Amino acid sequence: MKTLINTSLLCLLFALPVSSSTWSELMPIHQGFDIEEFETAVGIDNSICMVMHNEDLDQIQASFFQNGQWSTPEVLDDREDLGYPHICASPLGGFHAIWQLNRSKRCHIRYTPDEGWGEITQAQSYGGQIVCDPDGLLYQLRLKEIGFD
Protein backbone atom coordinates (compact mmCIF):
# COMPACT_ATOMS: atom_id res chain seq x y z
CA MET A 1 0.00 0.00 0.00
CA LYS A 2 1.27 3.48 -0.86
CA THR A 3 -0.24 6.63 0.64
CA LEU A 4 0.60 10.20 -0.35
CA ILE A 5 -0.54 13.62 0.76
CA ASN A 6 -1.15 16.08 -2.07
CA THR A 7 -1.16 19.42 -0.26
CA SER A 8 -2.09 21.52 -3.29
CA LEU A 9 -5.42 19.69 -3.62
CA LEU A 10 -5.86 18.93 0.10
CA CYS A 11 -6.54 15.37 -0.93
CA LEU A 12 -5.28 12.15 0.62
CA LEU A 13 -4.48 9.67 -2.15
CA PHE A 14 -4.32 5.88 -2.07
CA ALA A 15 -2.98 3.20 -4.43
CA LEU A 16 -3.02 -0.59 -4.34
CA PRO A 17 -0.40 -2.94 -5.78
CA VAL A 18 -1.78 -4.54 -8.96
CA SER A 19 1.15 -6.90 -9.40
CA SER A 20 4.69 -7.22 -8.11
CA SER A 21 5.83 -4.34 -10.32
CA THR A 22 2.83 -2.01 -10.86
CA TRP A 23 0.42 0.05 -8.80
CA SER A 24 -3.16 1.07 -9.43
CA GLU A 25 -4.05 4.63 -10.32
CA LEU A 26 -4.11 6.99 -7.34
CA MET A 27 -7.60 7.19 -5.85
CA PRO A 28 -8.72 10.08 -3.65
CA ILE A 29 -9.74 9.02 -0.16
CA HIS A 30 -10.99 12.26 1.34
CA GLN A 31 -10.97 15.69 -0.20
CA GLY A 32 -11.68 19.22 0.92
CA PHE A 33 -9.90 19.38 4.27
CA ASP A 34 -6.38 19.37 5.64
CA ILE A 35 -5.05 16.05 6.96
CA GLU A 36 -2.10 16.91 9.19
CA GLU A 37 -1.01 13.41 10.27
CA PHE A 38 -2.29 9.92 9.54
CA GLU A 39 -1.41 6.26 9.99
CA THR A 40 -2.85 3.01 8.61
CA ALA A 41 -3.02 -0.62 9.75
CA VAL A 42 -4.22 -3.81 8.07
CA GLY A 43 -6.56 -6.04 10.10
CA ILE A 44 -6.77 -9.82 10.20
CA ASP A 45 -9.73 -9.70 7.79
CA ASN A 46 -7.61 -7.64 5.31
CA SER A 47 -9.58 -4.48 6.08
CA ILE A 48 -7.53 -1.30 6.36
CA CYS A 49 -8.18 1.30 9.03
CA MET A 50 -6.72 4.78 8.91
CA VAL A 51 -6.65 7.25 11.79
CA MET A 52 -6.01 10.85 10.88
CA HIS A 53 -5.80 14.32 12.36
CA ASN A 54 -8.17 16.61 10.48
CA GLU A 55 -6.44 19.95 11.03
CA ASP A 56 -9.34 22.01 9.66
CA LEU A 57 -11.82 20.62 12.19
CA ASP A 58 -9.25 19.76 14.92
CA GLN A 59 -10.56 16.19 15.06
CA ILE A 60 -9.13 12.70 15.22
CA GLN A 61 -11.03 10.66 12.65
CA ALA A 62 -11.02 7.05 11.43
CA SER A 63 -11.94 5.55 8.08
CA PHE A 64 -12.02 1.96 6.79
CA PHE A 65 -11.13 0.54 3.36
CA GLN A 66 -13.39 -2.43 2.66
CA ASN A 67 -14.94 -3.80 -0.51
CA GLY A 68 -12.91 -1.44 -2.69
CA GLN A 69 -13.87 1.88 -1.09
CA TRP A 70 -13.16 4.12 1.90
CA SER A 71 -15.84 4.79 4.48
CA THR A 72 -16.90 8.28 5.50
CA PRO A 73 -14.56 9.48 8.27
CA GLU A 74 -15.89 8.87 11.77
CA VAL A 75 -14.99 11.35 14.53
CA LEU A 76 -13.13 9.69 17.40
CA ASP A 77 -12.31 12.89 19.32
CA ASP A 78 -12.99 16.58 18.75
CA ARG A 79 -11.46 18.26 21.79
CA GLU A 80 -8.94 21.08 21.32
CA ASP A 81 -5.23 20.56 20.66
CA LEU A 82 -5.25 17.02 19.27
CA GLY A 83 -2.61 15.31 17.16
CA TYR A 84 -0.14 12.49 16.51
CA PRO A 85 -2.55 9.60 15.80
CA HIS A 86 -1.26 6.03 15.71
CA ILE A 87 -3.06 2.74 15.05
CA CYS A 88 -2.36 -0.98 15.27
CA ALA A 89 -4.38 -4.05 14.40
CA SER A 90 -5.18 -6.64 17.03
CA PRO A 91 -4.56 -10.30 16.10
CA LEU A 92 -7.88 -11.02 17.85
CA GLY A 93 -9.75 -8.71 15.45
CA GLY A 94 -10.29 -4.97 15.51
CA PHE A 95 -7.91 -2.06 15.99
CA HIS A 96 -6.45 0.16 18.71
CA ALA A 97 -5.96 3.87 18.09
CA ILE A 98 -4.03 6.33 20.21
CA TRP A 99 -3.44 10.08 19.90
CA GLN A 100 -2.16 13.04 21.88
CA LEU A 101 -4.39 15.51 23.75
CA ASN A 102 -3.29 18.94 24.99
CA ARG A 103 0.41 18.16 24.47
CA SER A 104 0.54 16.19 27.73
CA LYS A 105 -1.95 13.32 27.66
CA ARG A 106 -2.53 10.33 25.44
CA CYS A 107 -5.97 8.98 24.57
CA HIS A 108 -6.72 5.38 23.61
CA ILE A 109 -9.76 3.84 21.95
CA ARG A 110 -10.49 0.26 20.84
CA TYR A 111 -12.46 -0.84 17.78
CA THR A 112 -14.14 -4.23 17.68
CA PRO A 113 -15.97 -5.42 14.58
CA ASP A 114 -19.18 -6.30 16.47
CA GLU A 115 -19.35 -3.19 18.66
CA GLY A 116 -17.56 -0.41 16.77
CA TRP A 117 -15.40 2.17 18.56
CA GLY A 118 -15.45 1.95 22.35
CA GLU A 119 -15.01 4.57 25.04
CA ILE A 120 -11.95 6.83 25.10
CA THR A 121 -9.54 6.07 27.93
CA GLN A 122 -6.36 7.84 29.01
CA ALA A 123 -3.11 6.02 28.29
CA GLN A 124 -0.17 5.93 30.70
CA SER A 125 2.07 8.43 28.94
CA TYR A 126 1.89 11.05 26.24
CA GLY A 127 4.31 9.88 23.59
CA GLY A 128 5.08 6.98 21.35
CA GLN A 129 3.30 4.35 19.35
CA ILE A 130 1.33 1.20 20.06
CA VAL A 131 1.73 -2.46 19.09
CA CYS A 132 -0.23 -5.64 19.82
CA ASP A 133 1.39 -8.98 20.58
CA PRO A 134 0.03 -12.31 19.19
CA ASP A 135 -2.20 -12.71 22.27
CA GLY A 136 -3.80 -9.29 21.74
CA LEU A 137 -1.95 -7.56 24.60
CA LEU A 138 -1.38 -3.88 23.80
CA TYR A 139 1.96 -2.16 24.39
CA GLN A 140 2.70 1.54 24.29
CA LEU A 141 6.25 2.40 23.18
CA ARG A 142 7.87 5.77 23.64
CA LEU A 143 11.23 7.49 23.91
CA LYS A 144 12.29 9.15 27.12
CA GLU A 145 15.00 11.74 27.28
CA ILE A 146 17.57 10.98 29.95
CA GLY A 147 19.91 13.68 31.20
CA PHE A 148 23.67 13.25 31.42
CA ASP A 149 25.85 14.51 34.27
Side-chain angles (χ1 to χ4, degrees):
M1 179 176 69
K2 176 170 61 173
T3 312
L4 305 170
I5 294 182
N6 183 334
T7 54
S8 63
L9 297 176
L10 297 177
C11 175
L12 192 59
L13 301 171
F14 174 78
L16 291 171
V18 176
S19 69
S20 62
S21 62
T22 61
W23 289 82
S24 69
E25 292 295 319
L26 287 172
M27 302 172 278
I29 299 174
H30 305 297
Q31 298 184 59
F33 51 79
D34 188 11
I35 300 298
E36 184 67 23
E37 303 113 2
F38 67 95
E39 191 169 278
T40 57
V42 178
I44 60 171
D45 61 353
N46 288 325
S47 64
I48 300 170
C49 185
M50 176 175 49
V51 292
M52 60 198 118
H53 178 209
N54 181 328
E55 182 77 15
D56 288 347
L57 301 175
D58 201 18
Q59 295 177 338
I60 299 298
Q61 299 175 335
S63 186
F64 290 93
F65 184 75
Q66 292 175 311
N67 303 320
Q69 61 184 343
W70 285 94
S71 67
T72 301
E74 182 177 349
V75 176
L76 302 182
D77 199 346
D78 62 357
R79 294 176 280 181
E80 288 184 28
D81 201 16
L82 301 167
Y84 307 106
H86 296 284
I87 190 165
C88 72
S90 170
L92 305 178
F95 296 90
H96 291 273
I98 194 167
W99 59 91
Q100 190 166 308
L101 170 67
N102 297 326
R103 301 183 193 274
S104 62
K105 298 177 186 168
R106 212 61 172 154
C107 296
H108 167 250
I109 194 169
R110 166 107 167 91
Y111 174 84
T112 53
D114 296 333
E115 300 173 20
W117 292 104
E119 296 294 318
I120 295 174
T121 59
Q122 186 171 329
Q124 289 297 86
S125 64
Y126 63 88
Q129 296 188 4
I130 53 175
V131 294
C132 253
D133 71 11
D135 296 321
L137 187 60
L138 184 67
Y139 295 88
Q140 183 180 359
L141 309 167
R142 73 179 190 99
L143 294 174
K144 182 176 182 179
E145 198 171 305
I146 299 174
F148 293 96
D149 292 89

